[in-house]
């Protein structure tokens, strides 16, 4: 047992706030995802159990599965969990819950029930901290009107938390990542750059309140606005970065995209974190994966691309269509790949 583990065991109940949860994780948040290229190689050829009732399965790598159970009702299922992205246990729980619920919102659905998924190094980290994580998750699920009905936990050397979520949607109003069409605006509903700030937080302990609230914020309103506007194509921006998730969408839809670099919203402090080198390995792997499919103008720098590839945790919705109140960051085109201008 190392010194850090021993010191945590000796903490009393009043001192659990002194624990740096990110010290117990090799990565943080959605940046700890398996790289997209490796993941696609691993699951290639796995087709699950296709059938007429399966509306969205494995083929397009969408945010959640969708199964038709009635002419006017599709059931959505998803699961998402990750290692600590911030040191505050309650905030980590909030962020992880919002991230898991986002998969349902990204499909245009309403979450109806969730169960907790927990990995916890018992004997190393106080159980009171786990309670705080669960309390944070419950607070966000309550905000979403989604009951949390139990869950599953294991003794794990590395702390992990998330949720499996079930949702519902009208089958004719699903948002899908293979339904983009050319000639439409592309909207992004949250700023990017939280991965850079999370990496800075893990290294220095600096707290970025705006980033925490952005990650803990639900994508519910944006999802409802997209469905009301008749949007058909959307996804959420998480561990593969804006470029990675956009590439998955245009590839699945057999279209291309143009991104206006100056129109992409960036959270305060991210540019400075990029300048100071707080770039995660996951972000660099994202860019390496997408780079063969990029066309960049002469003014676009490597740092610009790293920012666009920044591994997000609980990011916004990437919508093919225009939503009032949210920035348009580009448009779809006939063709393939992504142009950054």
């Amino acid at each position: 047992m190392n010194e850090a583990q021993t010191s945590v065991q000796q903490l009393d109940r009043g001192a659990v706030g002194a624990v740096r949860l990110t010290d117990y994780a090799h990565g943080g948040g959605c940046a700890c995802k398996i790289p997209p290229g490796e993941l696609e190689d691993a699951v290639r050829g796995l087709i699950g159990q296709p059938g007429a009732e399966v509306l969205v399965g494995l083929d397009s790598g969408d945010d959640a599965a969708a199964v038709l159970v009635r002419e006017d009702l599709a059931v959505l299922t998803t699961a998402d969990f990750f290692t600590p992205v911030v040191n505050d246990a309650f905030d980590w729980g909030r962020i992880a819950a919002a991230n898991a619920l986002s998969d349902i919102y990204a499909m245009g659905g309403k979450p109806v029930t969730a169960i907790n998924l927990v990995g916890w190094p018992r004997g190393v980290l106080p159980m009171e901290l786990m309670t705080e994580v669960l309390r944070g998750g419950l607070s966000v699920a309550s905000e979403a009107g989604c009951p949390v009905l139990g869950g599953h936990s294991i003794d794990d050397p590395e702390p992990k938390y998330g949720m499996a979520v079930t949702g519902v949607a009208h089958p004719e109003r699903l948002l899908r990542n293979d339904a983009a069409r050319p000639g439409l605006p592309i909207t992004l509903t949250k700023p990017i750059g939280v991965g850079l700030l999370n990496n800075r937080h893990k290294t220095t302990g600096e707290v970025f309140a705006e980033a925490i609230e952005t990650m803990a914020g639900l994508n519910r309103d944006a999802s409802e606005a997209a469905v009301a506007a008749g949007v058909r194509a959307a996804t959420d921006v998480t561990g593969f970065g804006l470029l990675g998730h956009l590439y998955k969408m245009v590839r699945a839809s057999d279209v291309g995209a143009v991104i206006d670099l100056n129109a992409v919203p960036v959270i305060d402090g991210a540019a400075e974190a990029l300048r100071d080198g707080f770039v995660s390995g996951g972000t660099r792997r994202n860019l390496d994966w997408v780079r063969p499919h990029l066309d960049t103008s002469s003014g676009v720098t490597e740092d610009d691309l790293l920012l666009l590839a920044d591994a997000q945790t609980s990011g916004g919705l990437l919508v093919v269509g225009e939503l009032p109140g949210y920035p348009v960051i580009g448009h779809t085109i006939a063709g393939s790949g992504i142009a950054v201008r």
Side-chain angles (χ1 to χ4, degrees):
M1 182 175 294
N2 61 39
E3 292 180 4
Q5 292 169 331
T6 302
S7 66
V8 171
Q9 282 188 311
Q10 295 171 347
L11 290 172
D12 61 28
R13 287 175 179 263
V16 294
V19 177
R20 285 175 48 94
L21 281 171
T22 58
D23 287 347
Y24 294 83
H26 75 283
C30 292
C32 66
K33 278 187 172 183
I34 295 173
E38 292 181 24
L39 181 61
E40 289 190 346
D41 288 343
V43 302
R44 184 171 288 116
L46 301 178
I47 59 173
Q49 295 178 315
E53 73 281 1
V54 178
L55 302 178
V56 179
L58 293 173
D59 293 345
S60 63
D62 220 319
D63 296 288
V67 177
L68 186 69
V69 296
R70 204 171 64 203
E71 190 174 288
D72 61 345
L73 181 66
V75 171
L76 313 177
T77 57
T78 186
D80 212 315
F81 62 94
F82 48 66
T83 54
V85 66
V86 293
N87 289 317
D88 185 274
F90 183 79
D91 284 340
W92 174 33
R94 294 169 64 213
I95 293 165
N99 182 72
L101 292 163
S102 181
D103 285 342
I104 300 297
Y105 294 132
M107 299 289 292
K110 174 186 176 181
V112 295
T113 187
I115 57 174
N116 288 314
L117 304 173
V118 184
W120 199 258
R122 52 180 295 277
V124 175
L125 290 176
M127 295 300 288
E128 293 87 350
L129 276 179
M130 190 181 83
T131 300
E132 281 298 288
V133 175
L134 295 173
R135 196 169 66 85
L138 181 59
S139 72
V140 166
S142 297
E143 180 186 349
C146 179
V148 181
L149 305 175
H152 184 68
S153 61
I154 61 169
D155 189 349
D156 192 328
E158 198 172 41
K160 302 176 181 72
Y161 174 63
M163 290 178 168
V165 187
T166 300
V168 294
H170 194 289
E172 294 180 2
R173 293 195 285 272
L174 284 174
L175 306 179
R176 306 173 55 126
N177 73 349
D178 63 354
R181 298 293 177 261
L184 295 174
I186 298 172
T187 301
L188 181 63
T189 68
K190 285 186 183 181
I192 63 171
V194 295
L196 288 156
L197 296 183
N198 290 341
N199 206 29
R200 185 164 203 150
H201 173 68
K202 178 177 172 62
T203 304
T204 69
E206 296 173 81
V207 176
F208 301 92
E210 183 185 355
I212 290 171
E213 295 309 313
T214 294
M215 291 184 287
L218 294 172
N219 281 324
R220 176 181 54 198
D221 292 350
S223 175
E224 292 175 353
V227 172
V231 166
R232 289 294 175 261
T235 189
D236 62 350
V237 179
T238 57
F240 300 153
L242 172 59
L243 287 179
H245 288 284
L246 178 59
Y247 173 63
K248 287 183 66 178
M249 178 184 284
V250 298
R251 182 183 63 179
S253 302
D254 197 24
V255 299
V258 177
I259 294 298
D260 178 359
L261 178 64
N262 293 324
V264 177
V266 178
I267 198 163
D268 287 346
E272 291 76 15
L274 177 62
R275 177 201 64 202
D276 295 340
F278 291 99
V279 180
S280 69
T283 292
R284 296 188 187 279
R285 290 188 291 270
N286 289 341
L287 182 53
D288 288 343
W289 181 61
V290 177
R291 196 188 298 273
H293 312 285
L294 294 179
D295 176 39
T296 60
S297 65
S298 59
V300 176
T301 68
E302 183 72 4
D303 276 359
D304 292 331
L305 296 179
L306 285 169
L307 179 58
L308 294 177
D310 185 43
Q312 303 300 283
T313 296
S314 192
L317 298 187
L318 187 63
V319 176
V320 179
E322 188 168 358
L323 302 184
Y326 299 102
V328 171
I329 65 167
H331 59 277
T332 54
I333 59 172
S336 61
I338 302 170
V340 181
R341 302 289 182 252

